[in-house]
Amino acid sequence: MTDSKTAMSKAYDGSPELTDNVADIAHGVNMEVYRATVPLWKRVWQHSLTQMMLLSVQAFCGPAMADAITGLGGGGLATAKVSNICTAITYALLAIGSSSVCFMGGPIVNKIGVKWALVLGAMSFPIEGSAYYCNSKFGNQWYLILSGAISGIGTACWYVAEAGAIMTLAPSASRGKYLALWIVSRNLGQLVGGAINLSKNHEKGVDGGVSPDTYIAFVIIESLALPFALLITPFEKVVRSDGTRIITSETLSTKMEMKRILKTMTSKLVVFSALWALWSFFYSGTWSTYLATYFSVRARALSSLVSPFFCIVGCFGLGFILDMKSLSQRRRAQIGLFTVVILNVGVYIWSIIMQVKFNHHNPGHIDWQDALYPSAFLPYFFVQTTGPLSQSYMYWLLSSFATDAQENVRNGAAFRCIEAIGQAISYGMNTQTTNNPLVGFCVTFGLLGAAVYPMIMLVNTTPDRIPADVVAEEQDAALEKIEHLKVSNQTPFGAPV
Protein backbone atom coordinates (compact mmCIF):
# COMPACT_ATOMS: atom_id res chain seq x y z
CA MET A 1 0.00 0.00 0.00
CA THR A 2 2.91 2.31 0.73
CA ASP A 3 4.31 1.71 -2.77
CA SER A 4 0.94 2.58 -4.34
CA LYS A 5 0.68 5.80 -2.36
CA THR A 6 4.21 6.75 -3.30
CA ALA A 7 3.52 6.15 -6.99
CA MET A 8 0.32 8.18 -6.80
CA SER A 9 2.10 11.00 -5.04
CA LYS A 10 4.81 11.10 -7.71
CA ALA A 11 2.26 11.11 -10.52
CA TYR A 12 0.27 13.88 -8.86
CA ASP A 13 3.34 16.01 -8.29
CA GLY A 14 4.37 15.71 -11.95
CA SER A 15 7.52 13.75 -11.17
CA PRO A 16 9.65 13.38 -14.36
CA GLU A 17 10.19 9.68 -13.84
CA LEU A 18 6.46 9.11 -14.33
CA THR A 19 5.25 11.96 -16.52
CA ASP A 20 8.22 12.83 -18.74
CA ASN A 21 6.32 15.87 -20.11
CA VAL A 22 3.30 13.74 -20.87
CA ALA A 23 -0.15 14.43 -19.45
CA ASP A 24 -0.85 11.11 -17.80
CA ILE A 25 -2.05 9.48 -14.63
CA ALA A 26 -0.27 6.81 -12.62
CA HIS A 27 -0.67 4.05 -15.17
CA GLY A 28 -2.28 5.38 -18.34
CA VAL A 29 -0.85 7.85 -20.84
CA ASN A 30 -2.84 10.53 -22.65
CA MET A 31 -1.75 9.40 -26.11
CA GLU A 32 -2.98 12.53 -27.91
CA VAL A 33 -0.85 14.79 -25.70
CA TYR A 34 2.02 12.29 -25.87
CA ARG A 35 2.03 12.33 -29.68
CA ALA A 36 1.73 16.12 -29.74
CA THR A 37 4.54 16.86 -27.29
CA VAL A 38 7.09 14.07 -27.78
CA PRO A 39 9.18 13.75 -30.98
CA LEU A 40 8.56 10.72 -33.20
CA TRP A 41 12.07 9.30 -32.74
CA LYS A 42 11.64 9.37 -28.98
CA ARG A 43 8.19 7.76 -29.11
CA VAL A 44 9.59 4.96 -31.26
CA TRP A 45 12.58 4.53 -28.93
CA GLN A 46 10.42 4.45 -25.78
CA HIS A 47 7.85 2.06 -27.29
CA SER A 48 7.63 -1.29 -25.53
CA LEU A 49 7.97 -3.24 -28.80
CA THR A 50 11.16 -1.35 -29.70
CA GLN A 51 12.63 -2.12 -26.29
CA MET A 52 11.67 -5.78 -26.65
CA MET A 53 13.34 -5.87 -30.06
CA LEU A 54 16.53 -4.31 -28.63
CA LEU A 55 16.50 -6.96 -25.93
CA SER A 56 15.84 -9.69 -28.50
CA VAL A 57 18.80 -8.55 -30.60
CA GLN A 58 21.04 -8.85 -27.53
CA ALA A 59 19.63 -12.32 -26.86
CA PHE A 60 20.48 -13.21 -30.45
CA CYS A 61 24.03 -11.86 -30.23
CA GLY A 62 24.79 -13.36 -26.81
CA PRO A 63 22.94 -16.46 -25.56
CA ALA A 64 21.87 -17.44 -29.08
CA MET A 65 25.45 -17.45 -30.33
CA ALA A 66 26.50 -19.48 -27.29
CA ASP A 67 23.73 -21.95 -28.13
CA ALA A 68 24.85 -21.93 -31.77
CA ILE A 69 28.35 -22.98 -30.72
CA THR A 70 26.85 -25.67 -28.48
CA GLY A 71 24.59 -26.71 -31.35
CA LEU A 72 27.62 -27.56 -33.46
CA GLY A 73 27.93 -30.63 -31.22
CA GLY A 74 30.53 -30.43 -28.48
CA GLY A 75 31.09 -26.80 -29.40
CA GLY A 76 32.30 -27.91 -32.82
CA LEU A 77 35.42 -29.48 -31.31
CA ALA A 78 36.73 -32.90 -32.26
CA THR A 79 35.56 -34.29 -28.90
CA ALA A 80 32.68 -33.13 -26.75
CA LYS A 81 34.31 -33.59 -23.32
CA VAL A 82 36.29 -30.33 -23.08
CA SER A 83 33.34 -28.34 -24.42
CA ASN A 84 31.03 -29.93 -21.87
CA ILE A 85 33.48 -29.13 -19.04
CA CYS A 86 33.69 -25.50 -20.22
CA THR A 87 29.92 -25.18 -20.50
CA ALA A 88 29.37 -26.85 -17.13
CA ILE A 89 31.72 -24.31 -15.50
CA THR A 90 29.93 -21.46 -17.28
CA TYR A 91 26.55 -22.49 -15.94
CA ALA A 92 27.86 -23.37 -12.50
CA LEU A 93 29.25 -19.84 -12.15
CA LEU A 94 26.13 -18.47 -13.80
CA ALA A 95 24.11 -20.21 -11.10
CA ILE A 96 26.37 -18.80 -8.38
CA GLY A 97 26.23 -15.38 -9.99
CA SER A 98 22.47 -15.56 -10.37
CA SER A 99 22.17 -16.57 -6.73
CA SER A 100 24.26 -13.57 -5.69
CA VAL A 101 22.29 -11.24 -7.93
CA CYS A 102 19.06 -12.77 -6.69
CA PHE A 103 19.89 -12.16 -3.05
CA MET A 104 21.25 -8.69 -3.87
CA GLY A 105 19.05 -8.19 -6.92
CA GLY A 106 16.96 -5.32 -5.61
CA PRO A 107 19.87 -3.14 -4.52
CA ILE A 108 21.85 -3.89 -7.71
CA VAL A 109 18.99 -3.23 -10.14
CA ASN A 110 17.79 -0.18 -8.23
CA LYS A 111 21.30 1.27 -8.08
CA ILE A 112 22.58 0.63 -11.62
CA GLY A 113 19.30 -0.08 -13.44
CA VAL A 114 18.37 -2.77 -15.95
CA LYS A 115 20.18 -0.98 -18.77
CA TRP A 116 23.60 -1.02 -17.11
CA ALA A 117 23.14 -4.59 -15.91
CA LEU A 118 22.58 -5.54 -19.56
CA VAL A 119 25.62 -3.51 -20.63
CA LEU A 120 27.88 -5.27 -18.13
CA GLY A 121 26.64 -8.65 -19.30
CA ALA A 122 26.98 -7.82 -23.01
CA MET A 123 30.65 -6.99 -22.48
CA SER A 124 31.31 -10.62 -21.50
CA PHE A 125 29.65 -12.23 -24.55
CA PRO A 126 32.65 -12.27 -26.97
CA ILE A 127 34.85 -14.12 -24.46
CA GLU A 128 33.34 -17.53 -25.21
CA GLY A 129 33.71 -17.28 -28.99
CA SER A 130 37.32 -16.11 -28.65
CA ALA A 131 38.10 -19.06 -26.37
CA TYR A 132 36.76 -21.58 -28.89
CA TYR A 133 38.80 -19.87 -31.61
CA CYS A 134 42.00 -20.08 -29.55
CA ASN A 135 41.35 -23.72 -28.74
CA SER A 136 40.66 -24.59 -32.39
CA LYS A 137 43.63 -22.53 -33.69
CA PHE A 138 46.27 -23.06 -30.99
CA GLY A 139 44.95 -25.96 -28.89
CA ASN A 140 45.07 -24.09 -25.56
CA GLN A 141 42.22 -25.69 -23.65
CA TRP A 142 43.00 -23.79 -20.46
CA TYR A 143 41.56 -20.57 -21.93
CA LEU A 144 38.43 -22.42 -23.03
CA ILE A 145 37.82 -23.58 -19.47
CA LEU A 146 38.78 -20.19 -17.99
CA SER A 147 36.37 -18.44 -20.37
CA GLY A 148 33.57 -20.49 -18.84
CA ALA A 149 34.38 -18.97 -15.46
CA ILE A 150 34.68 -15.38 -16.74
CA SER A 151 31.64 -15.35 -19.00
CA GLY A 152 29.57 -17.23 -16.41
CA ILE A 153 29.99 -14.43 -13.87
CA GLY A 154 29.45 -11.61 -16.40
CA THR A 155 26.50 -13.21 -18.11
CA ALA A 156 24.71 -13.82 -14.80
CA CYS A 157 24.10 -10.10 -14.45
CA TRP A 158 22.70 -9.91 -17.99
CA TYR A 159 20.45 -12.94 -17.57
CA VAL A 160 18.80 -11.61 -14.42
CA ALA A 161 18.17 -8.18 -15.97
CA GLU A 162 16.84 -9.85 -19.12
CA ALA A 163 14.45 -12.06 -17.16
CA GLY A 164 12.91 -9.07 -15.41
CA ALA A 165 12.65 -7.09 -18.66
CA ILE A 166 10.99 -9.76 -20.80
CA MET A 167 8.28 -10.28 -18.18
CA THR A 168 7.68 -6.54 -17.72
CA LEU A 169 7.80 -4.81 -21.11
CA ALA A 170 4.80 -6.38 -22.84
CA PRO A 171 1.23 -5.06 -22.64
CA SER A 172 -1.01 -7.46 -20.71
CA ALA A 173 -2.86 -8.68 -23.80
CA SER A 174 0.31 -9.31 -25.85
CA ARG A 175 2.68 -11.05 -23.44
CA GLY A 176 2.57 -14.34 -25.33
CA LYS A 177 3.55 -12.78 -28.67
CA TYR A 178 6.23 -10.55 -27.11
CA LEU A 179 7.77 -13.57 -25.39
CA ALA A 180 7.58 -15.50 -28.67
CA LEU A 181 9.58 -12.72 -30.36
CA TRP A 182 12.22 -12.95 -27.63
CA ILE A 183 12.45 -16.74 -27.52
CA VAL A 184 12.61 -17.01 -31.33
CA SER A 185 15.41 -14.39 -31.46
CA ARG A 186 17.24 -16.30 -28.76
CA ASN A 187 17.01 -19.52 -30.77
CA LEU A 188 17.76 -18.08 -34.21
CA GLY A 189 21.42 -18.27 -33.26
CA GLN A 190 21.23 -21.93 -34.19
CA LEU A 191 20.24 -20.92 -37.72
CA VAL A 192 23.07 -18.42 -38.14
CA GLY A 193 25.56 -20.74 -36.50
CA GLY A 194 24.50 -23.57 -38.76
CA ALA A 195 24.73 -21.40 -41.87
CA ILE A 196 28.22 -20.17 -40.95
CA ASN A 197 29.40 -23.65 -40.15
CA LEU A 198 27.82 -25.26 -43.21
CA SER A 199 29.40 -22.72 -45.56
CA LYS A 200 32.84 -23.56 -44.22
CA ASN A 201 32.47 -27.30 -43.53
CA HIS A 202 30.23 -28.66 -46.28
CA GLU A 203 32.60 -31.17 -47.88
CA LYS A 204 31.82 -34.83 -47.36
CA GLY A 205 34.20 -36.85 -45.25
CA VAL A 206 35.46 -33.98 -43.10
CA ASP A 207 35.69 -35.11 -39.49
CA GLY A 208 36.67 -33.59 -36.16
CA GLY A 209 36.25 -29.92 -35.20
CA VAL A 210 35.00 -27.04 -37.30
CA SER A 211 37.44 -24.60 -38.90
CA PRO A 212 38.91 -21.79 -36.73
CA ASP A 213 37.46 -19.09 -39.03
CA THR A 214 33.97 -20.19 -37.96
CA TYR A 215 34.58 -18.85 -34.45
CA ILE A 216 35.73 -15.45 -35.73
CA ALA A 217 32.25 -14.92 -37.17
CA PHE A 218 30.77 -15.81 -33.77
CA VAL A 219 33.02 -13.32 -31.97
CA ILE A 220 31.98 -10.51 -34.34
CA ILE A 221 28.27 -11.18 -33.77
CA GLU A 222 28.72 -11.49 -29.98
CA SER A 223 30.44 -8.09 -29.93
CA LEU A 224 27.37 -6.42 -31.47
CA ALA A 225 25.30 -6.93 -28.31
CA LEU A 226 26.97 -4.02 -26.49
CA PRO A 227 25.69 -1.10 -28.63
CA PHE A 228 22.15 -2.49 -28.49
CA ALA A 229 22.39 -2.76 -24.69
CA LEU A 230 23.32 0.92 -24.57
CA LEU A 231 20.04 1.77 -26.35
CA ILE A 232 17.85 0.31 -23.59
CA THR A 233 15.71 2.91 -21.81
CA PRO A 234 14.73 2.78 -18.10
CA PHE A 235 11.41 1.07 -17.29
CA GLU A 236 9.79 4.28 -16.11
CA LYS A 237 10.28 5.87 -19.55
CA VAL A 238 8.68 3.01 -21.51
CA VAL A 239 5.21 3.50 -23.00
CA ARG A 240 3.45 0.30 -23.98
CA SER A 241 1.43 -0.06 -27.18
CA ASP A 242 -1.83 -0.01 -25.18
CA GLY A 243 -0.93 3.37 -23.67
CA THR A 244 0.08 2.08 -20.25
CA ARG A 245 3.21 2.65 -18.19
CA ILE A 246 5.23 0.02 -16.37
CA ILE A 247 4.44 -0.14 -12.66
CA THR A 248 7.60 0.33 -10.61
CA SER A 249 7.90 0.63 -6.85
CA GLU A 250 10.11 2.96 -4.84
CA THR A 251 13.72 2.07 -4.09
CA LEU A 252 13.88 -0.04 -0.94
CA SER A 253 16.56 -0.15 1.70
CA THR A 254 18.98 -3.08 1.57
CA LYS A 255 17.38 -4.60 4.66
CA MET A 256 13.88 -4.39 3.20
CA GLU A 257 15.07 -5.73 -0.14
CA MET A 258 16.64 -8.75 1.56
CA LYS A 259 13.32 -9.47 3.25
CA ARG A 260 11.53 -9.28 -0.10
CA ILE A 261 14.07 -11.61 -1.70
CA LEU A 262 13.80 -14.18 1.08
CA LYS A 263 10.04 -14.02 0.68
CA THR A 264 10.42 -14.58 -3.07
CA MET A 265 12.70 -17.60 -2.64
CA THR A 266 10.23 -19.28 -0.30
CA SER A 267 7.11 -18.26 -2.20
CA LYS A 268 4.67 -20.73 -3.70
CA LEU A 269 5.55 -19.39 -7.15
CA VAL A 270 9.25 -20.27 -6.90
CA VAL A 271 8.87 -23.50 -4.92
CA PHE A 272 6.27 -24.98 -7.29
CA SER A 273 8.17 -23.93 -10.43
CA ALA A 274 11.63 -25.01 -9.19
CA LEU A 275 11.65 -28.46 -10.81
CA TRP A 276 10.35 -27.01 -14.07
CA ALA A 277 13.15 -24.43 -14.01
CA LEU A 278 15.72 -27.19 -13.35
CA TRP A 279 14.33 -29.22 -16.25
CA SER A 280 13.68 -26.43 -18.77
CA PHE A 281 17.27 -26.23 -20.12
CA PHE A 282 18.48 -29.64 -18.93
CA TYR A 283 18.10 -31.14 -22.40
CA SER A 284 20.76 -28.95 -24.05
CA GLY A 285 23.80 -30.76 -22.63
CA THR A 286 22.60 -34.19 -23.72
CA TRP A 287 21.62 -33.07 -27.20
CA SER A 288 24.98 -31.37 -27.74
CA THR A 289 26.67 -34.66 -26.83
CA TYR A 290 24.25 -36.60 -29.06
CA LEU A 291 25.19 -34.48 -32.10
CA ALA A 292 28.93 -34.70 -31.44
CA THR A 293 28.79 -38.48 -30.93
CA TYR A 294 26.63 -39.58 -33.86
CA PHE A 295 26.79 -36.93 -36.62
CA SER A 296 29.42 -35.74 -39.09
CA VAL A 297 30.53 -32.10 -38.96
CA ARG A 298 28.45 -31.06 -41.97
CA ALA A 299 25.43 -32.99 -40.66
CA ARG A 300 25.75 -31.11 -37.35
CA ALA A 301 25.86 -27.85 -39.29
CA LEU A 302 22.75 -28.73 -41.32
CA SER A 303 20.94 -29.76 -38.15
CA SER A 304 21.71 -26.40 -36.53
CA LEU A 305 20.61 -24.57 -39.68
CA VAL A 306 17.15 -26.08 -40.14
CA SER A 307 16.14 -26.68 -36.51
CA PRO A 308 15.00 -23.12 -35.67
CA PHE A 309 12.42 -22.87 -38.48
CA PHE A 310 9.73 -24.87 -36.73
CA CYS A 311 10.59 -23.08 -33.48
CA ILE A 312 9.32 -19.83 -35.03
CA VAL A 313 5.95 -21.40 -35.89
CA GLY A 314 5.63 -23.18 -32.54
CA CYS A 315 6.52 -20.23 -30.32
CA PHE A 316 4.23 -17.75 -32.05
CA GLY A 317 1.48 -20.37 -32.11
CA LEU A 318 1.76 -20.78 -28.35
CA GLY A 319 1.92 -16.99 -28.02
CA PHE A 320 -1.44 -16.58 -29.75
CA ILE A 321 -2.97 -19.23 -27.47
CA LEU A 322 -1.66 -17.48 -24.35
CA ASP A 323 -3.03 -14.13 -25.57
CA MET A 324 -6.56 -15.32 -26.42
CA LYS A 325 -8.94 -12.69 -25.07
CA SER A 326 -11.92 -15.05 -25.06
CA LEU A 327 -10.40 -17.16 -22.27
CA SER A 328 -9.47 -16.24 -18.70
CA GLN A 329 -5.80 -16.06 -17.81
CA ARG A 330 -6.08 -19.22 -15.70
CA ARG A 331 -7.68 -21.20 -18.53
CA ARG A 332 -4.95 -20.04 -20.94
CA ALA A 333 -2.31 -21.12 -18.41
CA GLN A 334 -3.89 -24.58 -18.18
CA ILE A 335 -4.10 -25.02 -21.96
CA GLY A 336 -0.52 -23.83 -22.38
CA LEU A 337 0.82 -26.29 -19.81
CA PHE A 338 -1.07 -29.21 -21.39
CA THR A 339 0.27 -28.32 -24.85
CA VAL A 340 3.88 -28.00 -23.72
CA VAL A 341 3.90 -31.21 -21.67
CA ILE A 342 2.30 -33.40 -24.35
CA LEU A 343 4.74 -32.22 -27.03
CA ASN A 344 7.75 -32.81 -24.78
CA VAL A 345 6.60 -36.29 -23.77
CA GLY A 346 6.36 -37.29 -27.44
CA VAL A 347 9.86 -36.01 -28.21
CA TYR A 348 11.49 -37.76 -25.26
CA ILE A 349 9.86 -41.11 -25.96
CA TRP A 350 11.17 -40.89 -29.53
CA SER A 351 14.64 -39.85 -28.34
CA ILE A 352 14.94 -42.74 -25.90
CA ILE A 353 13.84 -45.26 -28.54
CA MET A 354 16.48 -43.97 -30.98
CA GLN A 355 19.22 -44.03 -28.36
CA VAL A 356 18.41 -47.60 -27.33
CA LYS A 357 18.84 -48.60 -30.99
CA PHE A 358 22.18 -46.79 -31.15
CA ASN A 359 23.37 -48.56 -27.98
CA HIS A 360 22.71 -51.90 -29.67
CA HIS A 361 24.30 -50.82 -32.96
CA ASN A 362 26.58 -47.78 -33.08
CA PRO A 363 25.87 -45.98 -36.38
CA GLY A 364 29.19 -44.10 -36.37
CA HIS A 365 29.11 -40.53 -37.72
CA ILE A 366 25.83 -40.13 -39.61
CA ASP A 367 25.94 -37.91 -42.72
CA TRP A 368 22.96 -36.18 -44.28
CA GLN A 369 23.16 -38.56 -47.27
CA ASP A 370 22.68 -41.60 -45.04
CA ALA A 371 19.27 -43.28 -44.85
CA LEU A 372 19.40 -43.11 -41.05
CA TYR A 373 19.75 -39.31 -40.97
CA PRO A 374 16.02 -38.31 -40.98
CA SER A 375 14.92 -40.57 -38.12
CA ALA A 376 18.04 -39.76 -36.06
CA PHE A 377 17.79 -36.01 -36.69
CA LEU A 378 14.04 -35.39 -36.26
CA PRO A 379 14.01 -35.79 -32.44
CA TYR A 380 16.68 -33.07 -32.26
CA PHE A 381 14.67 -30.96 -34.71
CA PHE A 382 11.55 -31.11 -32.54
CA VAL A 383 13.30 -30.63 -29.19
CA GLN A 384 14.63 -27.33 -30.54
CA THR A 385 10.96 -26.24 -30.55
CA THR A 386 9.56 -27.97 -27.48
CA GLY A 387 12.45 -26.71 -25.32
CA PRO A 388 11.94 -23.02 -26.18
CA LEU A 389 8.17 -23.49 -25.83
CA SER A 390 8.71 -24.68 -22.26
CA GLN A 391 10.84 -21.64 -21.43
CA SER A 392 8.52 -19.10 -23.09
CA TYR A 393 5.52 -20.57 -21.30
CA MET A 394 7.21 -20.42 -17.91
CA TYR A 395 8.13 -16.75 -18.20
CA TRP A 396 4.58 -15.96 -19.30
CA LEU A 397 3.27 -17.78 -16.24
CA LEU A 398 5.69 -16.03 -13.86
CA SER A 399 4.65 -12.62 -15.20
CA SER A 400 1.01 -13.50 -14.48
CA PHE A 401 1.70 -13.27 -10.73
CA ALA A 402 3.78 -10.05 -10.51
CA THR A 403 2.64 -6.82 -8.87
CA ASP A 404 5.42 -4.60 -10.29
CA ALA A 405 8.64 -4.59 -12.33
CA GLN A 406 10.86 -5.21 -9.30
CA GLU A 407 8.97 -8.37 -8.43
CA ASN A 408 9.47 -9.62 -11.98
CA VAL A 409 13.22 -9.11 -11.53
CA ARG A 410 13.21 -11.07 -8.27
CA ASN A 411 11.11 -13.90 -9.73
CA GLY A 412 13.20 -13.97 -12.88
CA ALA A 413 16.44 -14.08 -10.91
CA ALA A 414 15.23 -17.01 -8.83
CA PHE A 415 14.09 -18.91 -11.93
CA ARG A 416 17.33 -18.16 -13.79
CA CYS A 417 19.40 -19.36 -10.84
CA ILE A 418 17.66 -22.74 -10.74
CA GLU A 419 17.70 -22.93 -14.53
CA ALA A 420 21.48 -22.41 -14.60
CA ILE A 421 21.98 -25.08 -11.94
CA GLY A 422 20.11 -27.51 -14.19
CA GLN A 423 22.34 -26.67 -17.15
CA ALA A 424 25.50 -27.00 -15.08
CA ILE A 425 24.42 -30.44 -13.84
CA SER A 426 23.44 -31.49 -17.36
CA TYR A 427 26.77 -30.58 -18.97
CA GLY A 428 28.70 -31.92 -15.98
CA MET A 429 26.82 -35.22 -16.22
CA ASN A 430 27.55 -35.46 -19.94
CA THR A 431 31.30 -35.19 -19.35
CA GLN A 432 30.96 -38.60 -17.69
CA THR A 433 28.51 -40.12 -20.21
CA THR A 434 29.95 -38.84 -23.49
CA ASN A 435 29.36 -42.06 -25.38
CA ASN A 436 25.88 -42.80 -23.99
CA PRO A 437 23.36 -39.95 -24.14
CA LEU A 438 20.65 -42.40 -23.00
CA VAL A 439 21.41 -41.50 -19.38
CA GLY A 440 20.81 -37.81 -20.12
CA PHE A 441 17.58 -38.51 -22.02
CA CYS A 442 16.18 -40.63 -19.19
CA VAL A 443 17.16 -38.14 -16.47
CA THR A 444 15.62 -35.26 -18.44
CA PHE A 445 12.41 -37.21 -19.03
CA GLY A 446 12.27 -38.11 -15.34
CA LEU A 447 12.68 -34.45 -14.35
CA LEU A 448 9.77 -33.51 -16.61
CA GLY A 449 7.59 -36.12 -14.93
CA ALA A 450 8.56 -34.86 -11.48
CA ALA A 451 7.89 -31.22 -12.47
CA VAL A 452 4.39 -31.71 -13.87
CA TYR A 453 2.39 -32.12 -10.62
CA PRO A 454 3.79 -29.03 -8.85
CA MET A 455 3.19 -27.06 -12.04
CA ILE A 456 -0.43 -28.20 -12.20
CA MET A 457 -0.89 -26.99 -8.62
CA LEU A 458 0.68 -23.64 -9.49
CA VAL A 459 -1.24 -23.17 -12.73
CA ASN A 460 -4.54 -23.85 -11.00
CA THR A 461 -3.89 -20.85 -8.73
CA THR A 462 -3.11 -18.46 -11.60
CA PRO A 463 -4.95 -15.16 -11.00
CA ASP A 464 -7.55 -14.30 -13.62
CA ARG A 465 -5.89 -10.90 -14.00
CA ILE A 466 -2.30 -9.75 -13.58
CA PRO A 467 -1.94 -8.22 -10.08
CA ALA A 468 0.10 -5.33 -11.53
CA ASP A 469 -2.89 -4.33 -13.68
CA VAL A 470 -5.20 -4.41 -10.68
CA VAL A 471 -2.78 -2.23 -8.69
CA ALA A 472 -2.57 0.20 -11.62
CA GLU A 473 -6.33 0.53 -11.85
CA GLU A 474 -6.55 1.21 -8.12
CA GLN A 475 -3.94 3.93 -8.52
CA ASP A 476 -5.84 5.45 -11.45
CA ALA A 477 -9.10 5.48 -9.47
CA ALA A 478 -7.39 7.11 -6.49
CA LEU A 479 -5.84 9.81 -8.69
CA GLU A 480 -9.16 10.56 -10.32
CA LYS A 481 -10.64 11.00 -6.87
CA ILE A 482 -7.80 13.36 -5.90
CA GLU A 483 -8.36 15.43 -9.06
CA HIS A 484 -12.09 15.55 -8.42
CA LEU A 485 -11.55 16.78 -4.84
CA LYS A 486 -9.04 19.34 -6.09
CA VAL A 487 -11.55 20.78 -8.58
CA SER A 488 -14.45 20.79 -6.11
CA ASN A 489 -12.39 22.76 -3.57
CA GLN A 490 -11.86 25.70 -5.96
CA THR A 491 -14.14 28.69 -6.71
CA PRO A 492 -15.46 29.33 -10.23
CA PHE A 493 -12.68 31.91 -10.63
CA GLY A 494 -10.00 29.30 -9.94
CA ALA A 495 -9.02 30.60 -6.48
CA PRO A 496 -8.98 28.27 -3.48
CA VAL A 497 -12.05 28.38 -1.27
Side-chain angles (χ1 to χ4, degrees), residues 47-378:
H47 197 283
S48 57
L49 181 58
T50 301
Q51 292 298 307
M52 195 67 170
M53 291 173 67
L54 292 173
L55 198 65
S56 297
V57 171
Q58 293 172 61
F60 171 78
C61 294
M65 287 301 104
D67 290 346
I69 293 173
T70 300
L72 299 178
L77 303 181
T79 61
K81 186 170 184 178
V82 174
S83 176
N84 283 337
I85 292 173
C86 167
T87 310
I89 292 173
T90 298
Y91 286 112
L93 289 170
L94 177 59
I96 295 170
S98 296
S99 300
S100 302
V101 175
C102 181
F103 281 106
M104 294 300 294
I108 291 174
V109 172
N110 287 336
K111 294 295 182 184
I112 69 173
V114 169
K115 172 180 178 176
W116 296 110
L118 293 172
V119 168
L120 288 174
M123 292 170 65
S124 70
F125 289 161
I127 295 174
E128 182 177 22
S130 67
Y132 275 96
Y133 170 79
C134 290
N135 179 266
S136 180
K137 185 76 172 179
F138 308 111
N140 53 351
Q141 295 182 346
W142 65 266
Y143 178 42
L144 184 64
I145 295 174
L146 178 63
S147 73
I150 299 172
S151 62
I153 295 172
T155 306
C157 193
W158 189 90
Y159 270 131
V160 172
E162 180 207 32
I166 62 174
M167 293 190 291
T168 302
L169 287 170
S172 300
S174 303
R175 286 178 299 138
K177 291 185 280 291
Y178 268 59
L179 284 168
L181 171 64
W182 162 72
I183 202 73
V184 166
S185 300
R186 196 187 187 288
N187 285 275
L188 280 180
Q190 292 270 23
L191 188 152
V192 174
I196 293 171
N197 189 27
L198 188 61
S199 68
K200 295 180 178 296
N201 304 277
H202 59 275
E203 295 181 6
K204 186 176 181 180
V206 176
D207 201 4
V210 303
S211 63
D213 289 348
T214 303
Y215 299 109
I216 294 178
F218 286 131
V219 172
I220 293 172
I221 296 174
E222 287 172 331
S223 299
L224 294 175
L226 182 57
F228 286 98
L230 291 168
L231 290 173
I232 293 292
T233 189
F235 281 159
E236 58 267 18
K237 302 291 186 181
V238 174
V239 178
R240 296 191 180 111
S241 56
D242 60 359
T244 59
R245 294 274 195 182
I246 292 173
I247 294 296
T248 57
S249 61
E250 64 180 351
T251 301
L252 302 176
S253 66
T254 302
K255 182 179 180 181
M256 182 59 70
E257 189 65 43
M258 292 298 292
K259 288 182 179 180
R260 294 284 182 90
I261 292 167
L262 289 172
K263 184 178 179 181
T264 297
M265 295 300 292
T266 56
S267 67
K268 173 186 67 178
L269 182 64
V270 173
V271 171
F272 283 4
S273 65
L275 282 175
W276 187 279
L278 193 72
W279 161 77
S280 63
F281 275 98
F282 203 89
Y283 69 91
S284 55
T286 300
W287 280 108
S288 175
T289 301
Y290 177 82
L291 282 182
T293 304
Y294 297 117
F295 291 81
S296 67
V297 171
R298 71 173 191 167
R300 297 185 216 171
L302 181 63
S303 300
S304 298
L305 176 63
V306 302
S307 295
F309 286 104
F310 193 62
C311 175
I312 298 173
V313 177
C315 287
F316 276 102
L318 179 64
F320 278 102
I321 292 174
L322 297 176
D323 288 340
M324 290 176 63
K325 296 179 180 179
S326 58
L327 300 175
S328 69
Q329 183 168 259
R330 182 175 300 175
R331 181 62 64 193
R332 284 177 276 149
Q334 292 167 338
I335 293 173
L337 178 65
F338 177 80
T339 302
V340 170
V341 170
I342 290 299
L343 291 175
N344 274 284
V345 166
V347 168
Y348 281 109
I349 290 175
W350 190 349
S351 305
I352 291 172
I353 290 173
M354 289 302 302
Q355 188 57 50
V356 168
K357 290 181 178 179
F358 289 169
N359 284 353
H360 283 93
H361 177 69
N362 191 326
H365 279 179
I366 303 169
D367 191 65
W368 69 47
Q369 293 182 338
D370 297 339
L372 187 58
Y373 179 76
S375 60
F377 160 68
L378 281 175

Side-chain angles (χ1 to χ4, degrees), residues 1-20:
M1 191 62 180
T2 302
D3 293 345
S4 298
K5 289 180 178 179
T6 302
M8 286 187 288
S9 175
K10 286 181 178 179
Y12 177 75
D13 292 339
S15 174
E17 51 269 49
L18 279 173
T19 59
D20 193 26

